[in-house]
Amino acid sequence: MIADYEKQFNRIPKKSMDLARLQRARLSNEKLYTLIEEKYNEAAITEKSEFGYVDIIDAALVPANR
């Protein structure tokens, strides 16, 4: 029984190292996603702000003469 506990105890550092590696990978992926999202939003804003770029939201109607 003691040998089994010792095996489990010896696995703790490996699990801690694996957890730290996964946390670093997650943080790296979050930063990468945020950077790509910012660049995408900048490109969308630049595209929309180009001269002559128009989105028709609501068609205009000619008012009736009264």
Side-chain angles (χ1 to χ4, degrees):
M1 187 179 258
I2 293 174
D4 187 42
Y5 287 136
E6 284 182 9
K7 287 179 188 177
Q8 290 178 6
F9 184 74
N10 289 335
R11 280 188 256 155
I12 290 175
K14 182 181 182 322
K15 288 182 180 181
S16 295
M17 289 173 48
D18 289 343
L19 176 62
R21 180 183 48 80
L22 290 172
Q23 287 175 333
R24 285 192 306 271
R26 179 186 55 85
L27 184 60
S28 176
N29 288 335
E30 285 178 1
K31 287 181 180 180
L32 178 61
Y33 175 81
T34 303
L35 178 65
I36 290 172
E37 185 179 33
E38 287 175 6
K39 295 296 182 183
Y40 174 79
N41 289 334
E42 286 175 12
I45 290 170
T46 301
E47 182 180 322
K48 296 278 183 179
S49 64
E50 288 178 5
F51 182 73
Y53 191 91
V54 177
D55 285 335
I56 298 176
I57 297 172
D58 191 13
L61 300 176
V62 177
N65 291 333
R66 291 184 183 212

